[in-house]
């Protein structure tokens, strides 16, 4: 793409209206183009038949609808589908579609790699290169929907989006918020706020900012009930310990009584899966409207953990359920194509310099 062209995928509707105003065009023209791109999946300006020919030509000279290139498209035996997408700079990110009986969930990446170094995560081993642009985040939805329709699925097969792929979404706050606004917009993808979920490892100030910026569902990667252990599993805990994280969760649900937070808990054999851990979890979440997702650990090459036994997971779950905590044991999906939770790796180019810079910003206390 020429550097002179403006990437229209980077705008939410408000941003697109402002850009159109700068071109001397009225807001409804921006709405029409926005709807063509996101609702109808238009890939070029020529197909926007209710936009004047003069404006279409003008747009073709000034703006771009460029998309990441599909590098691979893999289908798991269980129907899970994973795309590797090449984004600017030669990096690859991954996006996963998980079909279920009552929903279709798209797991979207927000960064090229991740700097947060969670001990159980393949992305962390890739290092970090850069934040994705808002357009690169939205494009994952655009590309997946088009590919699913091409293989015979309904245009509404994607009912839910989770920002749970590569990266910490709240470390890329402005671009992630812009992208989620496009997902929620009735002229965009029209997803309800309950069906767009942002998953964070626990950036406390940004959880507070999110509540004001964009009303979506929140998931928190908890994984431990004691700071000593969480410091090791999710190192950002050294900066924002459990007491601060859980206080931010309470504030997040306070403003909107219907909100409930999903707590993700990866089950690691002999590490965090004891009956005492389960009872501590019940105690920690007692005053937060919560749902707990127990995630059987999905191994990756070099991983220092084993998955808890089915018996240990069952016992853990029963203790939570016995305390009326809504608890789901997540099914492992797409493991045969390395698409399961925690297995996304992509391909991160030049991971060292930028990683150091980003780490200074978000994670001054790194695990030695
Ligand atoms: S679990 Fe999420 S925040 Fe932690 S390293 Fe992996 S991608 Fe980053």
């Amino acid at each position: 793409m020429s550097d002179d062209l403006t990437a229209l995928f980077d705008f939410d509707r408000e941003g697109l209206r402002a850009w159109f105003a700068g071109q001397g065009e009225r807001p409804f023209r921006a709405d029409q183009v926005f709807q063509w791109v996101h609702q109808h999946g238009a890939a070029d300006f020529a197909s926007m038949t209710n936009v004047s020919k003069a404006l279409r030509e003008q747009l073709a000279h000034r703006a771009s609808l460029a998309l990441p290139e599909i590098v691979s498209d893999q289908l798991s035996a269980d129907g899970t589908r994973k795309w590797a997408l090449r984004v600017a700079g030669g990096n690859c990110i991954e996006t996963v579609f998980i079909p279920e009986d009552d929903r279709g969930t798209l797991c979207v990446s927000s960064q090229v790699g991740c700097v947060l170094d969670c001990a159980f995560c393949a992305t962390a081993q890739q290092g970090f290169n850069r934040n994705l642009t808002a357009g690169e985040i939205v494009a994952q939805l655009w590309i997946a929907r088009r590919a699913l329709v091409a293989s015979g699925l309904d245009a509404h097969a994607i009912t839910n989006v989770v920002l749970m792929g590569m990266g910490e979404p709240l470390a890329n706050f402005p671009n992630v918020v812009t992208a989620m606004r496009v997902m929620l917009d009735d002229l965009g993808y029209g997803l309800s706020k309950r069906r767009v979920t942002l998953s964070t490892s626990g950036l406390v100030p940004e959880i507070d900012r999110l509540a004001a910026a964009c009303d979506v569902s929140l998931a928190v990667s908890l994984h431990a009930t004691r700071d000593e252990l969480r410091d090791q599993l999710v190192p950002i805990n050294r900066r924002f310990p459990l007491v601060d994280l859980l206080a931010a969760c309470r504030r997040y649900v306070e403003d909107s009584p219907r909100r409930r937070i999903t707590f993700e808990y990866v089950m690691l054999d002999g590490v965090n899966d004891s009956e005492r851990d389960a009872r501590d979890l019940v105690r920690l979440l007692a005053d937060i409207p919560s749902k707990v997702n127990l995630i059987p650990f999905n191994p990756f090459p070099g991983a220092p953990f084993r998955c808890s036994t089915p018996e240990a997971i069952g016992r853990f779950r029963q203790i939570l359920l016995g305390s009326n905590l809504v608890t789901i044991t997540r099914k492992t999906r797409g493991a045969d194509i390395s698409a399961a939770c925690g297995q996304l790796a992509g391909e991160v180019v030049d991971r060292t310099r930028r990683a150091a810079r980003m780490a200074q910003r978000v994670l001054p206390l790194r695990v030695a």
Side-chain angles (χ1 to χ4, degrees):
M1 180 179 85
S2 158
D3 287 345
D4 299 338
L5 300 180
T6 299
L8 296 196
F9 269 100
D10 279 342
F11 293 126
D12 58 15
R13 192 137 56 97
E14 200 185 321
L16 194 62
R17 284 175 163 209
W19 186 79
F20 267 60
Q23 310 295 310
E25 292 291 340
R26 284 181 293 164
F28 84 96
R29 291 290 182 206
D31 290 358
Q32 283 179 319
V33 169
F34 187 87
Q35 194 169 15
W36 271 110
V37 173
H38 299 293
Q39 204 174 75
H40 304 310
D44 54 51
F45 299 113
S47 59
M48 301 179 183
T49 46
N50 62 352
V51 176
S52 72
K53 191 158 181 269
L55 178 54
R56 280 186 269 154
E57 280 171 5
Q58 192 183 323
L59 286 170
H61 284 106
R62 295 186 185 164
S64 160
L65 296 174
L67 290 157
E69 174 201 352
I70 300 175
V71 177
S72 69
D73 179 348
Q74 292 174 276
L75 187 62
S76 158
D78 68 16
T80 299
R81 190 161 169 184
K82 179 173 89 168
W83 296 271
L85 304 176
R86 174 126 17 241
V87 292
N91 298 289
C92 268
I93 55 160
E94 294 185 332
T95 306
V96 179
F97 177 67
I98 306 134
E100 292 171 272
D101 291 344
D102 60 343
R103 69 180 69 184
T105 302
L106 191 72
C107 180
V108 164
S109 294
S110 57
Q111 297 183 303
V112 179
C114 187
V115 77
L116 292 192
D117 243 354
C118 297
F120 50 84
C121 173
T123 302
Q125 298 202 335
Q126 286 285 303
F128 174 80
N129 179 276
R130 68 173 173 85
N131 286 329
L132 292 180
T133 64
E136 288 166 338
I137 299 168
V138 172
Q140 295 171 63
L141 180 49
W142 192 100
I143 287 170
R145 184 180 62 183
R146 170 169 281 218
L148 293 171
V149 168
S151 57
L153 268 69
D154 188 90
H156 302 289
I158 299 170
T159 59
N160 294 55
V161 171
V162 292
L163 283 110
M164 233 176 246
M166 296 168 65
E168 162 54 61
L170 290 183
N172 183 13
F173 193 89
N175 294 342
V176 162
V177 165
T178 299
M180 292 192 304
R181 287 183 178 145
V182 176
M183 295 172 193
L184 298 174
D185 195 311
D186 284 342
L187 296 189
Y189 297 85
L191 294 167
S192 88
K193 59 190 181 185
R194 288 173 171 227
R195 291 178 178 270
V196 176
T197 301
L198 181 147
S199 175
T200 180
S201 57
L203 302 192
V204 166
E206 282 74 21
I207 292 175
D208 288 329
R209 284 174 68 201
L210 180 67
C214 194
D215 189 5
V216 292
S217 300
L218 185 68
V220 171
S221 293
L222 196 65
H223 310 310
T225 56
R226 299 184 302 282
D227 281 323
E228 315 83 81
L229 179 58
R230 195 163 191 272
D231 284 352
Q232 299 305 313
L233 297 180
V234 188
I236 195 71
N237 193 71
R238 296 176 173 204
R239 186 162 173 196
F240 302 114
L242 281 166
V243 65
D244 295 340
L245 173 59
L246 296 172
C249 291
R250 281 184 207 99
R251 290 192 294 275
Y252 195 79
V253 289
E254 228 166 54
D255 298 340
S256 177
R258 291 219 307 257
R259 279 182 185 156
R260 183 166 70 164
I261 296 186
T262 300
F263 289 92
E264 313 281 353
Y265 197 98
V266 65
M267 298 300 294
L268 304 172
D269 184 32
V271 175
N272 64 353
D273 62 351
S274 70
E275 294 182 20
R276 179 190 152 193
D277 287 310
R279 285 193 295 274
D280 286 347
L281 187 55
V282 169
R283 189 177 42 77
L284 281 183
L285 304 185
D287 61 348
I288 303 174
S290 310
K291 177 180 135 192
V292 177
N293 274 351
L294 301 179
I295 306 169
F297 173 63
N298 295 302
F300 52 87
F305 303 108
R306 283 191 315 265
C307 181
S308 303
T309 62
E311 295 73 30
I313 296 175
R315 269 197 306 274
F316 198 97
R317 181 164 177 263
Q318 282 311 320
I319 293 172
L320 269 49
L321 288 173
S323 302
N324 296 323
L325 203 46
V326 177
T327 307
I328 288 166
T329 305
R330 197 187 284 166
K331 277 196 209 131
T332 295
R333 301 289 304 271
D336 54 335
I337 55 169
S338 293
C341 191
Q343 288 186 322
L344 299 191
E347 186 186 326
V348 179
V349 176
D350 183 20
R351 60 188 73 165
T352 48
R353 273 177 297 121
R354 290 185 180 91
R357 221 163 38 224
M358 184 77 172
Q360 274 177 351
R361 278 221 318 270
V362 300
L363 187 62
L365 295 162
R366 286 173 71 84
V367 172

